[in-house]
């Protein structure tokens, strides 16, 4: 096990009828809040009503900033920063999925500096302080509710970049599984794939020495991402299925899976970010295309962890190294197909001729994330396995 | 899944050569510290030297309070409280295993009130504030390094009581697996049993609905408690084995295993506390006697979770309910025997005639912990299964 520091100060309030605690929890951090949300789905399922009632009853002044898109845009973040500065806002209340929470963190970081917030994403500036953020989660997927990271897309360059800082953990995140009842089947599945991808990025890290404690934890999360997603799709109002998926997605990226693994790269995310930045495909959909291709490529370098995963969680008989890795990848692919997420680039109408452009865009992120083993040619090879 | 709040603010610094960070980390909380430790083993393995050097180099003033015993005594806690008050101490630095850390928390709670600290343990007073505590862990066992609970024994009444409060999470805990190289084989094994017992208490909780995310996490911890202990005993200087056991024990009782399970009782601990309070047996040794007996008793009420555990982690073929539960318990018992921990009361020279007295002592704790289904007779029945 490698040395590590684990310090996750986010308070999680999980369960039925917990949303009304957003007011009192936010009041601990200020009197005037920026209420950040997305395209308005929270107005259809009454989450908006519950949140605003609680904030108002607690005496908080609300400035609204709706309209966060999936694959959230830097321009919208900057508008939020301008509002915070213009209104002297104390605290950001992010209500939505990962895109909203990620935008909220970027606003918290950018609202206390005079330079372009994008400089944090390109590593040209580092964070010294930030506004506090509280959150109500409405989508089981990104894990942003209990970590300090975020991903935002630059409107012009289409660079989809991410970074994290310990000052950006949400102070509190409220997770009511009932708020996800109305998430449609496709986005429920994308969320489960996203959670699985987060676990796989860590799991496939092959730095010595072995980390058996973390491995078992991650294998359990992968089993539960698949199983709870299946149950959510079978019955969208199954509370326990929604709760299991929600908590799985949170645990998948709150720092615990990676604690002790050393430096972990996010190669599948690196390639997918390029895909969703260029074609605006949902992040989880992009991942379900990239995962099998990347695993196929990785199995040619080192198949051990893929075989360990399959043999432990899928209970199949091993028949030699290559078939075992192949079987594991095939089972994952079959699951993607069952939950109706894409597994080939062609499903996005991306022509094979675009591969060099996708790889070129991904390469920019590979350099920032110091994934030095990924050249233009390597990324093209991986993308070719996704055709 | 039941509603829950999860908020664990302890910072974990884990790995080789991390002990010298105790000075700077403690300085964040004050200038004058109470250095709390046990019987002096930290002087033999140089942990004491590393800690005091770091504290002094950082400019901290040190008041020492050594001599914490295993099954720590209230009288020693009270002496610590007196020292803190007499010297206007800002922060407690606990260096040792669970007994030292638990004593430290009790001192932090008692140092800021004028009444008897025992009133917190009997529920007659509740905590409003507490001194901060930092810690260096030297034993993988109790999990006290990342939770807010503690257990202390009353010198006269021999009541071994526990309680917890969110103000008592250590601010930081430093976990250097190398500091456990010199833990002898018996206490290494007792620590692994303690960690396993913590997981089992939660795992065996049978409140509906099911908690599959937590179940998989706990099964992984049980596998790793057993496996890493075996490796530590085979080679006490195996860094990865010590690291895996240490991190397993921390995760076994940091709140994550229980999040979403609803109200969880600690019946095995309830009975063991009586055993170690009356006969001063090591906590982990007492647990390895109580676990098989309690599981046998529990399997007569509800064998489902025992069978789930065995079938998932021990890979045996199920042959009907009773044999499957029996096989699981037998495998655990065989492991206790292999790591040389006791499995029968007779191994402590406790005569069968003492059972009513042990049960009577345990019953006091059953009432405080509201384990209402445990009568004197029930506890006697369980103890009879430990003969």
């Amino acid at each position: 096990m490698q040395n590590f520091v684990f310090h996750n100060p986010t308070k999680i309030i999980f369960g039925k009828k917990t949303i009304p605690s957003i007011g009192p929890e936010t009041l601990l951090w200020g009197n005037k809040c920026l209420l950040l949300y997305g395209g308005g789905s929270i107005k259809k399922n009454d989450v908006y009503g519950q949140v605003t009632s609680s904030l108002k009853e607690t005496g908080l002044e609300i400035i609204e900033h709706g309209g966060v898109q999936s694959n959230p845009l830097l321009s919208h973040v900057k508008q939020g920063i301008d509002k915070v500065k213009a209104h002297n806002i104390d605290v950001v209340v992010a209500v939505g999925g990962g895109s909203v929470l990620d935008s909220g963190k970027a606003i918290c970081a950018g609202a206390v500096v005079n330079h372009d917030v994008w400089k944090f994403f390109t590593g040209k500036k580092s964070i010294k302080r930030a506004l506090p953020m509280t959150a109500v989660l409405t989508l089981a997927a990104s894990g942003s509710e209990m970590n300090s990271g975020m991903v935002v897309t630059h409107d012009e360059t289409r660079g989809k970049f991410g970074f994290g800082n310990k000052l950006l953990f949400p102070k509190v995140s409220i997770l009511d599984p009932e708020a996800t009842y109305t998430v449609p089947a496709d986005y429920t599945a994308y969320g489960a794939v996203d959670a699985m991808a987060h676990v796989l990025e860590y799991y496939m890290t092959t730095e010595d020495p072995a980390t058996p404690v973390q491995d078992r934890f991650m294998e359990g999360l992968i089993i539960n991402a698949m199983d709870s997603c299946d149950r959510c799709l079978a019955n969208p109002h199954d509370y326990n299925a929604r709760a299991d998926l929600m908590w799985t997605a949170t645990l998948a990226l709150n720092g615990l899976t990676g604690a002790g693994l050393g430096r972990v790269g996010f190669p599948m995310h690196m390639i997918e970010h390029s895909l969703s930045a260029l074609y605006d495909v949902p992040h989880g959909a992009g991942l379900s295309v990239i995962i099998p291709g990347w695993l196929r490529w990785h199995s040619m370098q080192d198949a051990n962890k893929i075989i360990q995963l399959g043999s432990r969680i899928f209970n199949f008989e091993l028949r030699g190294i290559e078939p075992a890795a192949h079987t594991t990848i095939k089972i994952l692919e079959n699951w993607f197909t069952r939950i109706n997420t894409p597994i080939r680039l062609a499903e996005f109408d991306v022509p094979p001729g675009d591969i060099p452009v996708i790889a070129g865009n991904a390469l920019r992120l590979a350099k920032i994330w110091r994934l030095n083993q990924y050249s233009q040619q390597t990324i093209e090879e991986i993308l070719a396995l996704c055709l």
Side-chain angles (χ1 to χ4, degrees), chain A:
Chain A
M1 203 185 297
Q2 305 284 316
N3 283 17
F4 67 87
V5 174
F6 179 82
H7 189 201
N8 189 322
T10 300
K11 177 181 183 180
I12 297 290
I13 301 178
F14 190 105
K16 284 178 190 173
K17 316 296 175 210
T18 50
I19 294 176
S21 55
I22 187 65
E25 291 289 338
T26 302
L27 187 66
L28 297 171
W29 304 97
N31 298 306
K32 195 188 272 193
C33 66
L34 185 79
L35 177 58
L36 186 69
Y37 56 93
S41 67
I42 63 167
K43 290 186 178 170
K44 290 181 203 138
N45 65 7
D46 193 40
V47 169
Y48 176 86
Q50 291 182 64
V51 168
T52 50
S53 295
S54 173
L55 293 171
K56 284 175 190 164
E57 278 168 23
T58 321
L60 279 137
E61 189 180 338
I62 303 171
I63 306 292
E64 295 208 10
H65 189 46
V68 178
Q69 301 175 24
S70 67
N71 299 320
L73 292 172
L74 178 63
S75 56
H76 192 267
V77 165
K78 286 184 175 177
Q79 290 160 17
I81 291 170
D82 291 343
K83 279 191 191 177
V84 168
K85 288 179 175 177
H87 295 275
N88 281 316
I89 280 167
D90 305 313
V91 49
V92 173
V93 181
V95 182
S99 298
V100 176
L101 272 61
D102 283 13
S103 293
K105 291 174 188 174
I107 292 171
C108 288
V112 296
V113 293
N114 291 319
H115 62 73
D116 188 340
V117 68
W118 192 245
K119 288 187 176 173
F120 292 133
F121 290 84
T122 54
K124 288 179 186 157
K125 289 280 183 182
S126 59
I127 288 189
K128 303 285 186 299
R129 60 192 192 92
L131 282 195
M133 182 174 99
T134 63
V136 173
L137 187 68
T138 62
L139 183 69
S142 79
S144 187
E145 62 275 14
M146 202 182 179
N147 67 43
S148 62
M150 82 214 78
V151 176
V152 169
T153 298
H154 192 290
D155 303 56
E156 287 88 43
T157 67
R158 303 310 297 167
K160 188 177 174 183
F161 288 3
F163 83 104
N165 185 282
K166 64 182 177 181
L167 295 171
L168 296 175
F169 282 100
K171 299 302 180 188
V172 62
S173 286
I174 296 169
L175 280 58
D176 181 347
E178 291 185 326
T180 67
Y181 281 171
T182 51
V183 176
D186 52 356
Y187 274 83
T188 299
Y190 300 154
V193 173
D194 194 18
M196 171 188 278
H198 293 152
V199 180
L200 280 174
E201 298 273 27
Y202 288 99
Y203 191 83
M204 298 310 302
T205 293
T206 50
E207 273 193 37
D208 279 327
T211 49
V213 182
Q214 294 85 339
D215 281 2
R216 293 282 179 184
F217 179 45
M218 291 191 271
E219 289 154 10
L221 291 176
I222 292 172
I223 293 172
N224 275 292
M226 297 174 76
D227 178 64
S228 60
C229 176
D230 286 343
R231 290 185 286 130
C232 288
L233 295 179
N235 177 7
H237 286 248
D238 178 340
Y239 180 82
N240 287 314
R242 291 290 189 183
D244 291 337
L245 181 56
M246 201 168 205
W247 192 222
T248 296
T250 301
L251 293 173
L253 200 60
N254 76 344
L256 261 191
T257 57
L261 270 62
R263 210 179 86 79
V264 172
F266 265 58
M268 293 181 261
H269 278 73
M270 176 262 292
I271 302 174
E272 194 293 318
H273 282 191
S274 172
L275 209 57
S276 55
L278 291 174
Y279 305 96
D280 205 27
V281 302
H283 179 52
L287 284 167
S288 77
V289 168
I290 301 298
I291 290 171
W294 185 87
L295 286 174
R296 256 182 235 111
W297 172 82
H298 185 77
S299 73
M300 293 181 242
Q301 335 292 317
D302 180 358
N304 287 329
K305 284 304 277 285
I306 301 174
I307 295 169
Q308 176 180 301
L309 177 71
S311 63
R312 284 189 181 170
I313 76 173
F314 296 139
N315 299 316
F316 60 78
E317 288 297 315
L318 297 181
R319 292 162 300 165
I321 284 178
E322 212 185 310
H326 178 77
T327 303
T328 303
I329 297 166
K330 196 70 203 162
I331 292 173
L332 287 174
E333 251 184 8
N334 290 346
W335 179 68
F336 292 144
T337 301
R338 192 168 78 234
I339 65 172
N340 211 21
T341 64
I343 56 170
R344 295 288 181 266
L345 278 175
E347 297 179 65
F348 297 134
D349 294 324
V350 172
D354 281 13
I355 282 183
V357 177
I358 305 170
N361 184 302
L363 191 64
R364 290 190 297 173
L365 195 52
K367 284 178 181 162
I368 291 172
W369 285 0
R370 289 185 293 160
L371 291 163
N372 300 327
Q373 69 273 46
Y374 289 87
S375 64
Q376 170 84 21
Q377 189 191 335
T378 304
I379 301 172
E380 287 186 19
E381 282 170 22
I382 295 166
L383 283 164
L385 292 166
C386 302
L387 284 172

